[in-house]
Amino acid sequence: MDPFDAGAGGILRQPKAVWATAGASVVAFMGIGLVDPILPSIAQGLDATPSQVSLLFTSYFLITAIAMLVTGFVSSRIGGRRTLLAGLALVVVFAGLAGTSGSVGELVGFRAGWGLGNALFVSTALAVIVGAAAGGSAAAILLYESALGLGMACGPLLGALLGDASWRYPFFGTAFLMAVGFLCITAFLKEQPKPARKTSLLDPLKALGHGGLASAAASAFFYNYTFFTVLAFTPFVLDMTPYKSGGVFFVWGVLLAVFSVIVAPRVQARFGSLTVLGGSLLLLAADVLVLGYGDHTTAVVCTILSGAFIGVNNTVYTELALGVSDAPRPVASAGYNFVRWFAAAAAPYLAPKIEEWTDPHIPFVVAAVTAVAGALVVVVRRKALTHEAAALEPRHATEDGVGVFANQRPTPTGW
């Protein structure tokens, strides 16, 4: 069945609760790249250095990583709906406060609170969408991944449009949109059934004792360092107006979405998951290396092109992380994200520091090395991941040619 079919169970015929949650998810994912095109403007407005401004990402993702140990604990006790609303409320409050910041320290602190709210919301949204969707998990997963891609694409665009007037406006705009999402979920989403077993704070860490899950998390750690060097450091290198920078990262986000939802399943079905992941990581390494040493036009092209490799990697890592161990999906996902988000916190701070210590090229050399390191983990730990690679072989093809995997898995929480 085509998941885009407008008939019963298709992605276009979903209950209002699903659309409300998916819409709020778009805004939540927008928050990740929202500050990209306005980083130079924030630095100028608050008289801060690039490394200080990049702490906006560091505080956000550091709290997100730690919160991965908490989200399952909370949602298994108060329920999905209340967890979503709590996360949305925190984002509304802290995004609004971020727009009032008088110093870079205040802004970094408010982004940390925003990261906690976003972690609570995003980690729960997929489970809620799958539980409330019509037509099974396939359409729900596709809807969620589409929301992810749309949010990642539109975040920089919204940041550019509002940030052209003032760097404060994107934060106020996000607070407003999340408030609308809060009202929609309050009105349309009923409480979801609580899980039979409550999740403890240590369950995600215990899950990392599995060699395959630990290997996937370690590889994703190195990959995420590369990913967020591109996302958080490249705007300073491009040195463009908010409109132009927003346009670059909008196209980047579109490629990310297309390659994540459409291209990745096809190339996995043909070449195998581990081969695709290793090859994509090596191509990403080459891309960021050229980005660092090329002229301005080359840097723009390579920035956009990196979205394709990042989209493929995100999808494959999803399936590896959630299928390689016997841990429940939310628990495995929390442990996996706990590890990988630390790299997302480190890269935005270290990349500009490395530039200060050396020159503008070296941060991209380091990013290329970490992408290669991620590929090496896949190669060295191939046996630990081989079970997952076999499980990802397509059982049959859908009408549009996209493989349906024997163990279909959702996107991991934390995006």
Side-chain angles (χ1 to χ4, degrees):
M1 181 185 69
D2 186 353
F4 285 104
D5 186 2
I11 190 174
L12 300 179
R13 291 188 62 85
Q14 296 295 334
K16 292 179 180 179
V18 172
W19 287 114
T21 307
S25 297
V26 171
V27 182
F29 294 127
M30 285 169 59
I32 295 177
L34 180 81
V35 299
D36 252 33
I38 58 172
L39 286 175
S41 299
I42 294 173
Q44 183 178 3
L46 295 178
D47 192 25
T49 65
S51 60
Q52 289 175 321
V53 172
S54 293
L55 287 172
L56 294 175
F57 284 99
T58 297
S59 63
Y60 181 92
F61 287 115
L62 182 62
I63 296 300
T64 297
I66 297 172
M68 286 299 108
L69 302 180
V70 178
T71 53
F73 177 88
V74 173
S75 63
S76 65
R77 284 162 174 79
I78 69 173
R81 182 175 182 272
R82 291 179 181 177
T83 305
L84 288 179
L85 293 176
L88 286 170
L90 285 172
V91 173
V92 170
V93 170
F94 283 104
L97 288 173
T100 68
S101 300
S103 69
V104 70
E106 289 182 7
L107 186 54
V108 168
F110 293 141
R111 276 283 284 184
W114 185 342
L116 174 60
N118 214 54
L120 288 171
F121 175 83
V122 173
S123 65
T124 311
L126 176 60
V128 170
I129 289 176
V130 170
S137 63
I141 292 168
L142 185 58
L143 181 61
Y144 181 85
E145 291 185 346
S146 299
L148 188 158
L150 184 61
M152 292 292 287
C154 292
L157 195 60
L158 178 67
L161 294 174
L162 297 180
D164 190 59
S166 169
W167 65 263
R168 300 180 185 273
Y169 290 169
F171 299 109
F172 294 139
T174 299
F176 172 77
L177 291 174
M178 280 304 218
V180 172
F182 184 96
L183 294 176
C184 289
I185 288 178
T186 300
F188 298 122
L189 180 64
K190 296 179 181 180
E191 185 55 83
Q192 303 295 297
K194 296 180 183 179
R197 178 182 176 274
K198 293 181 179 178
T199 302
S200 77
L201 293 174
L202 294 180
D203 282 350
L205 295 178
K206 292 177 181 177
L208 289 170
H210 186 279
L213 182 61
S215 300
S219 179
F221 175 89
F222 290 115
Y223 156 65
N224 263 22
Y225 185 94
T226 308
F227 177 2
F228 285 94
T229 296
V230 173
L231 189 63
F233 181 64
T234 302
F236 292 107
V237 175
L238 297 181
D239 193 24
M240 304 168 76
T241 65
Y243 274 126
K244 291 181 179 179
S245 182
V248 168
F249 278 96
F250 171 74
V251 180
W252 169 88
V254 170
L255 272 185
L256 187 154
V258 169
F259 275 75
S260 176
V261 176
I262 298 175
V263 176
R266 287 174 165 82
V267 294
Q268 281 178 275
R270 181 166 183 177
F271 300 107
S273 297
L274 298 186
T275 301
V276 168
L277 181 59
S280 182
L281 286 168
L282 293 178
L283 289 173
L284 178 62
D287 181 76
V288 297
L289 199 60
V290 174
L291 192 164
Y293 281 93
D295 58 21
H296 188 268
T297 301
T298 301
V300 170
V301 172
C302 287
T303 298
I304 293 172
L305 184 60
S306 70
F309 307 127
I310 288 169
V312 170
N313 292 338
N314 287 348
T315 294
V316 181
Y317 274 120
T318 293
E319 295 161 351
L320 288 176
L322 298 188
V324 73
S325 75
D326 295 329
R329 285 174 175 174
V331 173
S333 177
Y336 162 77
N337 281 291
F338 174 73
V339 173
R340 72 178 181 127
W341 286 128
F342 277 109
Y349 177 73
L350 289 178
K353 279 294 185 183
I354 292 171
E355 180 195 26
E356 293 173 12
W357 300 331
T358 55
D359 62 60
H361 308 300
I362 303 303
F364 294 101
V365 174
V366 174
V369 169
T370 55
V372 172
L376 286 175
V377 172
V378 172
V379 173
V380 172
R381 298 291 296 168
R382 190 177 187 90
K383 288 185 178 180
L385 298 169
T386 298
H387 169 72
E388 170 61 10
L392 290 176
E393 292 304 318
R395 178 166 48 185
H396 58 276
T398 59
E399 292 177 2
D400 64 356
V402 180
V404 176
F405 299 111
N407 188 11
Q408 187 78 20
R409 301 168 188 87
T411 304
T413 61
W415 276 110

